[in-house]
Structures are given as C-alpha cells and as structure tokens.
Amino acid sequence: MTASLELFFDVVSPYSYLASTQVAALAARHGISVRWRPFFLGGVMKATGNQPPATLPARAPYLLRDVQRWAAKYGVPLQFPRRFPANTLLAQRMLTALQSDEVARLAPGFFALYWAEGGDVTDPDTLRGRADALGFDGGALLAAAAGDEVKDRLKATTDEAVRRGAFGAPTFFFDGEMYFGNDRLVLLEDALVASGAMS
Amino acid sequence: MTASLELFFDVVSPYSYLASTQVAALAARHGISVRWRPFFLGGVMKATGNQPPATLPARAPYLLRDVQRWAAKYGVPLQFPRRFPANTLLAQRMLTALQSDEVARLAPGFFALYWAEGGDVTDPDTLRGRADALGFDGGALLAAAAGDEVKDRLKATTDEAVRRGAFGAPTFFFDGEMYFGNDRLVLLEDALVASGAMS
C-alpha cells in the first residue's frame, strides 16, 4: 500500500493556494500519493472559533506582503483578489463531487482563477467554464454541487477535519500527524524523509 | 557600514526562543550583525488586539507538537513551561538595561531558563543568578530594571515595534522589510541572499 498524504484545503485560502503549487512535487520526491480533500474553511472557522489572520488590522498589510514573498519564492503567479474573502461554498462543492485524482486536476484551475487571474470564484458560469476547459463536464458538476449528497459529503469532510484537530487551511495529515500551513511543508518533508516514504 | 538585522523578541514567546537559537548562525552566514531588541509582547498584543495562538482551544495541542518539531529540527532542547504564559516584564527590563551585544549573551540564558530548564522566569533571584552566571552583575541589572529610565525605554521599544507594523514575536526587520515568526527565517534568508549582504 502506497503511503498517502492528505491535503485539506479551500480555494479561498491564500496559503492553501501556495501549498497546492508545491504538494505534487513534494509527494513525487518521496514517492507517495496526495489525497486532495476539499473542505469548507468557513465551517472550520465557525466550529473552532478561529479567525482568518487578516481579520487583525495590524496583520492585514503584512499578509499581503507575505503571500507575495512566498509566491516569488515558489515562482508562481499571485494577484491578491479584490474580493476577499469570497464565498467558496459552490466551488468546494463542485470539487467534492470529484474523486481525489480529479480534484488534483480541477483544484489548480480554481486556485488559478481566484489567486492569479482576478476571476470570480463565486460565479457558477465562471466555475463551469473553468471545469469545461480542463476537460470536465462543468454543467454536471454544478448539478451535482446542488444535490444533497455532495452538500452532505462536504460537511462530513469539514467535520472530519475539525474532529481530527484542524483549525485552518491548508491542513496536512501524514502518518497520523497533522501539519498546519504552507509554512509547515518543511516540517512535513522532514517527516517524509524520516519515514523513508521513498524506498 | 555593516548591514544589520533587527530582532524584536520576548522571552515568553516559544517561537522567539526557537528563532533566537538560529539567528546568530544566520547572520554569520551573511556577514551581518544582529541587533537584539527586547520588547514586551504583552504590550504588542494589547496595542494591536492580537491574541497568542494557544488562546484558541483547538490550536493549543497543535502548538505543543509544533514547537517540539522545530526544536527537534534545530537540535535544541525544549521543555514546554508548566506556567505559560509567564509575565516576563522583569526579564525584558533587565535585558533592556543592556547594550545589544550584551543582550546577545544574556537573552539565550533567559530563554534556556524558561524554555529548556523549567525555571521560573518571573523570579528576581533566579534571573539575577542566571545573569551572574553569565558574567553580568545581576544585582545591578535588577536595580536598573526597577528604574524609570529602563521602564520607559522598554515601553518605547515596544511602541516603536508596533508603529513599524509588529503584531507578535519574534519580529525581524531587514532592509526596511518586516518578517514575522520563526517560520519566516527562510524568507529572511532569501532576502539576505538577494541583498548580497555577504560580499
């Protein structure tokens, strides 16, 4: 059985975006698979009482600088959205309608839309168009996202993350341990090395 | 003129401790000096409305794991204090009575006391003993810490940090840019490389 790394993420989260650009290469370096797990960050915040860092006025300008620094370090585009935070419930539900390997193909498209292209991540037509462009049936995903089965599954994933200790995004789990934040990829990689995941 | 890196810290802060164990080597790698600037984190929190991360119940157990992971990564001892947070006003005032190069010698002793040895960082006799052991006149430092000049200077340093954008600890400044947290040493080092500080 191949060891697996779980990534709980929400398209609304800048540090989820940043981490999402690195996780495939990280996993490949250690010969493990990534299980992409869309959850709803708003639900995590509500359940835990956590607040987004930019809520603190003194912290907001620093956050803008910080995400740009990480984007520069990673060599990925980043344009801070004019509308932030956005309600990503529909986007996360569309992702929830997919299998993990499909999420791995669509989530980067949604992230790019919101974090690099100034797109409206709340707009159904925009999301459908992006899904279509990446080879999915965007209309079918929108329909699935409106159904109770997908709504319940997204809620269950969010509840599961909270139950396992998550309080923000991105949150990784590997080998029974939780890692929170793009800035903990370095500790996660240490754990991958220590586990001898690549054998 | 040698380029300088400012480090605002408080002995109460676990991530200040962790960063403090790395900063001398970081600076040496790039041929710059470190200006150790003791401030009072409680004052920063009050001025900005920020809260320590462990305030959030869901986050507290993760924080304990996280600081141990960083300590293991750095190869430094860490024993989470039974009394946390502690009031470090006296310790920070004693450090404020010193010049930066002296702070660089005493602060590690206070950090070790609180973060590695289970010592009482609020106890005047303990602080005096540690200062004496490191070649300072602990009694004179305690006396200075009780004087208005040092009290005012610590308050001024704290106010300056807040005015420049700080909202927590450790906070670094280099080349007009602020970096917050032990986990941003990697971005700070990128900036040092880019600046060609080591020439």
Short mmCIF file of all heavy atoms in Angstrom, two decimals, chain B residues 64-88:
data_model
loop_
_atom_site.label_atom_id
_atom_site.label_comp_id
_atom_site.label_asym_id
_atom_site.label_seq_id
_atom_site.Cartn_x
_atom_site.Cartn_y
_atom_site.Cartn_z
N LEU B 64 1.82 22.75 20.87
CA LEU B 64 2.79 21.97 21.65
C LEU B 64 3.60 21.03 20.75
O LEU B 64 4.81 20.89 20.92
CB LEU B 64 2.06 21.15 22.73
CG LEU B 64 1.35 21.96 23.81
CD1 LEU B 64 0.70 21.03 24.83
CD2 LEU B 64 2.32 22.91 24.52
N ARG B 65 2.91 20.38 19.81
CA ARG B 65 3.60 19.50 18.87
C ARG B 65 4.54 20.31 17.98
O ARG B 65 5.66 19.91 17.69
CB ARG B 65 2.60 18.76 17.97
CG ARG B 65 1.63 17.86 18.69
CD ARG B 65 2.23 16.55 19.07
NE ARG B 65 2.71 15.82 17.90
CZ ARG B 65 3.75 15.00 17.92
NH1 ARG B 65 4.44 14.85 19.04
NH2 ARG B 65 4.12 14.36 16.84
N ASP B 66 4.02 21.43 17.51
CA ASP B 66 4.76 22.23 16.53
C ASP B 66 6.09 22.73 17.10
O ASP B 66 7.12 22.64 16.44
CB ASP B 66 3.88 23.39 16.08
CG ASP B 66 4.48 24.17 14.93
OD1 ASP B 66 4.78 23.55 13.88
OD2 ASP B 66 4.68 25.39 15.08
N VAL B 67 6.06 23.26 18.30
CA VAL B 67 7.31 23.79 18.85
C VAL B 67 8.31 22.66 19.10
O VAL B 67 9.52 22.85 18.93
CB VAL B 67 7.09 24.65 20.13
CG1 VAL B 67 6.26 25.88 19.82
CG2 VAL B 67 6.47 23.85 21.26
N GLN B 68 7.81 21.48 19.45
CA GLN B 68 8.73 20.35 19.64
C GLN B 68 9.34 19.92 18.31
O GLN B 68 10.51 19.52 18.25
CB GLN B 68 7.99 19.17 20.29
CG GLN B 68 7.58 19.39 21.74
CD GLN B 68 8.75 19.47 22.72
OE1 GLN B 68 9.91 19.29 22.33
NE2 GLN B 68 8.45 19.77 23.97
N ARG B 69 8.54 19.99 17.25
CA ARG B 69 9.09 19.63 15.93
C ARG B 69 10.20 20.58 15.51
O ARG B 69 11.23 20.15 14.99
CB ARG B 69 7.98 19.68 14.88
CG ARG B 69 7.01 18.52 14.95
CD ARG B 69 5.85 18.76 13.99
NE ARG B 69 4.85 17.71 14.07
CZ ARG B 69 3.58 17.85 13.70
NH1 ARG B 69 3.17 19.00 13.21
NH2 ARG B 69 2.75 16.85 13.81
N TRP B 70 9.98 21.88 15.72
CA TRP B 70 11.03 22.85 15.37
C TRP B 70 12.28 22.64 16.23
O TRP B 70 13.41 22.72 15.73
CB TRP B 70 10.52 24.28 15.53
CG TRP B 70 9.59 24.72 14.44
CD1 TRP B 70 8.24 24.88 14.54
CD2 TRP B 70 9.93 25.07 13.09
NE1 TRP B 70 7.73 25.30 13.33
CE2 TRP B 70 8.73 25.42 12.43
CE3 TRP B 70 11.12 25.10 12.38
CZ2 TRP B 70 8.70 25.82 11.09
CZ3 TRP B 70 11.09 25.49 11.04
CH2 TRP B 70 9.90 25.84 10.41
N ALA B 71 12.06 22.37 17.52
CA ALA B 71 13.21 22.13 18.40
C ALA B 71 14.01 20.93 17.93
O ALA B 71 15.24 20.95 17.90
CB ALA B 71 12.74 21.95 19.85
N ALA B 72 13.29 19.88 17.52
CA ALA B 72 13.97 18.68 17.02
C ALA B 72 14.72 19.01 15.73
O ALA B 72 15.86 18.56 15.52
CB ALA B 72 12.96 17.56 16.79
N LYS B 73 14.07 19.79 14.86
CA LYS B 73 14.71 20.16 13.59
C LYS B 73 16.00 20.93 13.85
O LYS B 73 17.01 20.71 13.18
CB LYS B 73 13.75 21.00 12.77
CG LYS B 73 14.29 21.44 11.40
CD LYS B 73 13.22 22.19 10.63
CE LYS B 73 13.71 22.57 9.22
NZ LYS B 73 14.03 21.36 8.42
N TYR B 74 15.93 21.85 14.82
CA TYR B 74 17.10 22.69 15.11
C TYR B 74 18.11 21.98 16.01
O TYR B 74 19.23 22.49 16.19
CB TYR B 74 16.66 23.99 15.79
CG TYR B 74 15.88 24.95 14.91
CD1 TYR B 74 15.06 25.93 15.49
CD2 TYR B 74 15.96 24.92 13.52
CE1 TYR B 74 14.36 26.83 14.71
CE2 TYR B 74 15.26 25.81 12.73
CZ TYR B 74 14.45 26.77 13.33
OH TYR B 74 13.75 27.68 12.57
N GLY B 75 17.68 20.89 16.64
CA GLY B 75 18.58 20.21 17.57
C GLY B 75 18.81 21.00 18.84
O GLY B 75 19.93 21.04 19.36
N VAL B 76 17.76 21.65 19.34
CA VAL B 76 17.87 22.43 20.58
C VAL B 76 16.88 21.86 21.59
O VAL B 76 15.84 21.32 21.22
CB VAL B 76 17.60 23.93 20.34
CG1 VAL B 76 18.64 24.51 19.38
CG2 VAL B 76 16.18 24.18 19.83
N PRO B 77 17.21 21.99 22.89
CA PRO B 77 16.29 21.46 23.90
C PRO B 77 15.04 22.31 24.00
O PRO B 77 15.09 23.53 23.78
CB PRO B 77 17.11 21.55 25.20
CG PRO B 77 18.10 22.64 24.95
CD PRO B 77 18.42 22.59 23.47
N LEU B 78 13.93 21.69 24.31
CA LEU B 78 12.69 22.45 24.57
C LEU B 78 11.79 21.64 25.50
O LEU B 78 11.47 20.49 25.21
CB LEU B 78 11.95 22.78 23.28
CG LEU B 78 10.83 23.83 23.43
CD1 LEU B 78 10.67 24.64 22.16
CD2 LEU B 78 9.49 23.21 23.82
N GLN B 79 11.45 22.26 26.60
CA GLN B 79 10.53 21.67 27.57
C GLN B 79 9.46 22.71 27.81
O GLN B 79 9.74 23.79 28.35
CB GLN B 79 11.31 21.35 28.86
CG GLN B 79 10.48 20.81 29.99
CD GLN B 79 11.32 20.68 31.27
OE1 GLN B 79 12.53 20.44 31.23
NE2 GLN B 79 10.67 20.88 32.41
N PHE B 80 8.23 22.43 27.38
CA PHE B 80 7.21 23.47 27.48
C PHE B 80 6.97 23.81 28.95
O PHE B 80 6.79 22.92 29.78
CB PHE B 80 5.90 23.03 26.81
CG PHE B 80 5.15 24.19 26.23
CD1 PHE B 80 5.33 24.59 24.91
CD2 PHE B 80 4.28 24.94 27.03
CE1 PHE B 80 4.65 25.69 24.39
CE2 PHE B 80 3.61 26.03 26.52
CZ PHE B 80 3.79 26.42 25.19
N PRO B 81 7.00 25.11 29.28
CA PRO B 81 6.88 25.53 30.69
C PRO B 81 5.54 25.12 31.30
O PRO B 81 4.51 25.17 30.63
CB PRO B 81 6.98 27.06 30.62
CG PRO B 81 7.55 27.38 29.28
CD PRO B 81 7.14 26.27 28.38
N ARG B 82 5.57 24.75 32.55
CA ARG B 82 4.31 24.45 33.23
C ARG B 82 3.48 25.73 33.37
O ARG B 82 2.28 25.69 33.24
CB ARG B 82 4.58 23.87 34.64
CG ARG B 82 4.79 22.37 34.64
CD ARG B 82 5.24 21.91 36.00
NE ARG B 82 6.43 22.68 36.43
CZ ARG B 82 6.87 22.76 37.67
NH1 ARG B 82 6.23 22.16 38.63
NH2 ARG B 82 7.96 23.47 37.96
N ARG B 83 4.16 26.83 33.63
CA ARG B 83 3.43 28.11 33.73
C ARG B 83 3.64 28.88 32.44
O ARG B 83 4.70 29.45 32.21
CB ARG B 83 3.94 28.91 34.93
CG ARG B 83 3.45 28.34 36.27
CD ARG B 83 4.05 29.09 37.44
NE ARG B 83 3.85 30.54 37.33
CZ ARG B 83 4.47 31.44 38.09
NH1 ARG B 83 5.35 31.05 38.99
NH2 ARG B 83 4.24 32.72 37.93
N PHE B 84 2.59 28.89 31.63
CA PHE B 84 2.65 29.60 30.36
C PHE B 84 1.30 30.22 30.08
O PHE B 84 0.29 29.53 30.18
CB PHE B 84 3.02 28.65 29.22
CG PHE B 84 3.03 29.32 27.87
CD1 PHE B 84 4.12 30.08 27.48
CD2 PHE B 84 1.93 29.22 27.02
CE1 PHE B 84 4.12 30.72 26.24
CE2 PHE B 84 1.92 29.86 25.78
CZ PHE B 84 3.02 30.61 25.40
N PRO B 85 1.26 31.47 29.65
CA PRO B 85 2.42 32.37 29.58
C PRO B 85 2.83 32.87 30.97
O PRO B 85 2.04 32.83 31.89
CB PRO B 85 1.89 33.53 28.73
CG PRO B 85 0.41 33.55 28.98
CD PRO B 85 0.01 32.12 29.20
N ALA B 86 4.07 33.29 31.07
CA ALA B 86 4.57 33.91 32.30
C ALA B 86 4.72 35.41 32.05
O ALA B 86 4.86 35.84 30.91
CB ALA B 86 5.93 33.31 32.67
N ASN B 87 4.69 36.16 33.12
CA ASN B 87 4.92 37.60 33.00
C ASN B 87 6.42 37.87 32.92
O ASN B 87 7.15 37.71 33.90
CB ASN B 87 4.31 38.33 34.20
CG ASN B 87 4.40 39.85 34.05
OD1 ASN B 87 5.33 40.36 33.41
ND2 ASN B 87 3.45 40.56 34.62
N THR B 88 6.86 38.29 31.75
CA THR B 88 8.30 38.47 31.52
C THR B 88 8.74 39.94 31.61
O THR B 88 9.82 40.29 31.13
CB THR B 88 8.68 37.93 30.12
OG1 THR B 88 7.78 38.48 29.16
CG2 THR B 88 8.63 36.41 30.08
#
